[in-house]
Amino acid sequence: MGKYVAKRIIQVIPTLFFVILTAFLLMKLIPGDPAMILLGPQARAEDIARFRQQLGLDRPLPVQFLIYLKRVLTGDLGTSLVYRQSVLSLILERLPVTITLSLCALVIAVSIGIPAGVMAAMKHNSFIDLLVTILALMGLSIPIFWFGMMLIIVFSLELGWLPAVGLGDPSKGLWDVVSHFILPSLALGILSTGTIARFTRSSMLEVLNQDYIRTAYAKGLRKSLILYRHALRNALVPVITVIGLQLGNLLAGAVLTETVFALPGLGKLMVDGIFRRDYMLVQGEVLFTAILYIFVNLAVDITYAFINPKIRQTYRGV
């Protein structure tokens, strides 16, 4: 088992290098000179040249990348050209909002997706199965920003039940904070709900067709015991992997959700950095999000290895 974990960690290293290189090159392809954007159109040519030299933008591209790689490995993602603050400190300041939103969305997706998938598998080829399948496909197809705006119109503007934008005020009580996360969590979780429901249904159907399930029925065991103690436990093994991957997708999908609901998280920070042409901020946040996604996947793989006995047996003798 330890060898499997070590192998997965080693496999992450070239992926991290490729992510750093990609983030560096993508930012170089964005039109516009960061020095000129920051100093303004009225800046003199010598001031722009001096500022480019301070940023290291006058050096050859390979040298710029080596300098950038060295900084990243030491935890330095640069300084925001607009905020005049460390990019890493800006990210860490906004990260709790995005993590909270993503976890709330994941809880909603799991709470709805798994029961819906199980119900569809138990009622295979029935109206309930068809309904769950259609709703799951709709969840996969609905754009997050459109669904978010519909939630605001219905539950905030028309019914007035929930607030539309911003964070809650802790001084006003816990409900004020929670109520501000309900609509964005629903909007963000709709995509993962459909994915989890479909995977749960497929996995459950596969398990229900196994010989040991038919043997359990032949022994006269209670149906509820067979379904929830034997079938569901084994069906959830691949679903756990999907749930972990969905967490990474939710972190990336928070960009649109936070923009629609005006939540001061990483997504909103990213959009603001793009509109303001904050070269260092966008580059640092793209890299941070990609690295976070990689480590979430790594944690999922390791967790799956602990859950799935086949992987432990495969690597026991390696």
Side-chain angles (χ1 to χ4, degrees):
M1 185 61 202
K3 293 183 179 180
Y4 170 78
V5 174
K7 181 179 179 180
R8 289 295 295 117
I9 294 175
I10 293 174
Q11 290 174 346
V12 165
I13 296 176
T15 306
L16 287 174
F17 178 81
F18 178 76
V19 166
I20 295 173
L21 177 62
T22 303
F24 174 79
L25 293 178
L26 284 177
M27 292 303 104
K28 292 299 180 181
L29 297 176
I30 294 178
D33 187 345
M36 184 177 297
I37 293 171
L38 184 62
L39 295 178
Q42 306 300 327
R44 297 179 301 176
E46 53 269 26
D47 294 332
I48 294 176
R50 188 182 310 111
F51 194 69
R52 284 179 57 84
Q53 184 178 7
Q54 292 177 358
L55 294 177
L57 299 176
D58 60 332
R59 300 187 181 186
L61 197 62
V63 177
Q64 291 185 43
F65 174 70
L66 291 177
I67 296 174
Y68 178 68
L69 179 62
K70 181 180 178 181
R71 290 207 327 264
V72 169
L73 293 178
T74 56
D76 181 12
L77 299 181
T79 303
S80 170
L81 302 178
V82 174
Y83 294 94
R84 297 288 187 172
Q85 187 178 342
S86 167
V87 171
L88 184 59
S89 65
L90 284 171
I91 291 175
L92 295 179
E93 182 182 317
R94 306 290 187 95
L95 183 61
V97 175
T98 301
I99 294 294
T100 303
L101 175 62
S102 300
L103 291 178
C104 290
L106 187 63
V107 169
I108 292 174
V110 171
S111 301
I112 299 175
I114 290 181
V118 171
M119 187 181 302
M122 292 171 58
K123 304 293 184 179
H124 184 48
N125 289 332
S126 67
F127 173 76
I128 295 179
D129 185 18
L130 178 62
L131 180 62
V132 170
T133 302
I134 292 175
L135 292 177
L137 290 175
M138 289 177 60
L140 292 171
S141 305
I142 294 177
I144 294 177
F145 66 89
W146 180 86
F147 188 59
M149 289 187 289
M150 292 301 103
L151 290 176
I152 291 175
I153 292 174
V154 174
F155 293 100
S156 183
L157 300 181
E158 295 294 334
L159 299 177
W161 290 353
L162 295 167
V165 296
L167 291 175
D169 186 357
S171 63
K172 296 181 180 180
L174 179 62
W175 171 247
D176 189 67
V177 177
V178 173
S179 62
H180 280 78
F181 275 97
I182 293 177
L183 292 183
S185 298
L186 285 172
L188 183 59
I190 185 66
L191 181 63
S192 295
T193 301
T195 302
I196 292 173
R198 292 187 64 193
F199 270 91
T200 303
R201 175 185 177 275
S202 300
S203 181
M204 193 72 176
L205 285 175
E206 182 179 352
V207 170
L208 290 175
N209 289 324
Q210 297 296 321
D211 292 336
Y212 69 89
I213 297 295
R214 287 191 284 266
T215 302
Y217 275 114
K219 288 182 177 180
L221 296 179
R222 296 195 311 273
K223 184 177 180 180
S224 59
L225 181 65
I226 296 172
L227 290 176
Y228 296 105
R229 188 170 183 177
H230 298 285
L232 183 59
R233 177 182 295 181
N234 292 300
L236 286 181
V237 172
V239 176
I240 291 175
T241 304
V242 175
I243 292 173
L245 296 177
Q246 288 304 305
L247 178 58
N249 293 335
L250 291 174
L251 291 172
V255 174
L256 292 174
T257 309
E258 291 176 0
T259 302
V260 172
F261 291 93
L263 292 174
L266 292 182
K268 187 68 166 54
L269 183 66
M270 172 77 77
V271 173
D272 292 342
I274 292 174
F275 280 123
R276 296 184 182 186
R277 298 289 184 89
D278 194 336
Y279 171 84
M280 296 300 295
L281 177 59
V282 175
Q283 186 181 50
E285 191 166 354
V286 167
L287 179 61
F288 183 86
T289 305
I291 292 176
L292 188 62
Y293 189 90
I294 289 173
F295 279 102
V296 167
N297 289 342
L298 176 63
V300 170
D301 287 344
I302 294 175
T303 303
Y304 186 71
F306 278 104
I307 295 174
N308 193 342
K310 293 181 180 179
I311 293 180
R312 294 199 296 268
Q313 293 172 2
T314 301
Y315 284 87
R316 187 174 298 169
V318 175

